Amino acid sequence: MDSDNIKFVLVETSNGGNIGAAARAMKTMGLSQLALVSPCEFRTYECYSRAAGALDLLDNALVCQTLEEAVADCTQVIGTSARLRSLSWPQIEPHDFTELFGNAAEGAKIAVVFGRERSGLSNTELGLCSQLVVIPSVSDFSSLNVSAAVQVLAYEVRRAVLALASDSDDRKVVKKTVKPGDRPASHEDLERMYSHLESTMLDTGYLNPENPRMMMPRFRRLFNRASLNQSEVQLLRGLFASLEKMSRRIKSGS
Ligand code: SAH
């Protein structure tokens, strides 16, 4: 896993100083891909002074309106949170990055998403994440400043990248060429698949819009856990299409 394929995304950061400090934290650990979702006005003195020499990250930061846009090109989206949510998300420890990156297919692009200073990430935003990293702080004072959380996780990314690099040197691992269908499904592929799943379930009556019973978040969690590749997404969409066809036939009585 190459550091250029790891993107840190900061959602609606409200303090420019935190954005500068996050850029510095990333640069010290060899990370350069920074995305800012609806940030505050960050081109301020405080931001630039806290960034120290990491001005290039700020100048090249991708600024977008929504988290969806920021992660559209990513194959895996990992959320971060100071606390656990009611719907239990698959949780990983920061040191699990080594295993996660080691298992990532060639061409994988991973986003690590950080929430707002006051309220963290919304449940909808967490819905875009396949896993949640929680830095194991003490339970009655668990929330780090967002730039401190960026530093801790940037360090863990660095450790993982170094460990995997020496591992592959040692074992002279030769990367296999990957067939197109084996490539991990992109976030956009998955979102299209979820829309298809939802319309199919509405069509067949399995999903009742009056009483959705968290059906979509539960399916998202299940499929996110499976790390689908492109041909598996096509396989599932073929199944949804055939269910839709059958449901139409039954409704028309033919
Ligand atoms: N009250 C908010 C705290 C937000 S702190 C909440 O309960 O979510 C701002 C951001 O810093 C968080 O959204 C998360 O991205 C990161 N962060 C803070 N503490 C963290 C921790 N212990 N583990 C992982 N991320 C953390």
Side-chain angles (χ1 to χ4, degrees), residues 79-83 85 113-121 133-137 142-147 149-150 153:
T80 59
S81 178
R83 63 194 161 93
R85 310 289 169 138
V113 185
F114 297 85
R116 299 159 186 82
E117 286 94 333
R118 277 180 193 282
S119 55
L121 293 168
V133 191
V134 181
I135 299 165
S137 43
S142 61
S143 183
L144 280 73
N145 171 276
V146 65
S147 66
V150 167
L153 294 180

Side-chain angles (χ1 to χ4, degrees), residues 212-224:
R213 296 190 294 131
M214 301 285 281
M215 204 79 101
M216 284 310 296
R218 285 155 71 203
F219 270 113
R220 277 174 178 273
R221 197 171 50 167
L222 186 158
F223 285 126
N224 280 337

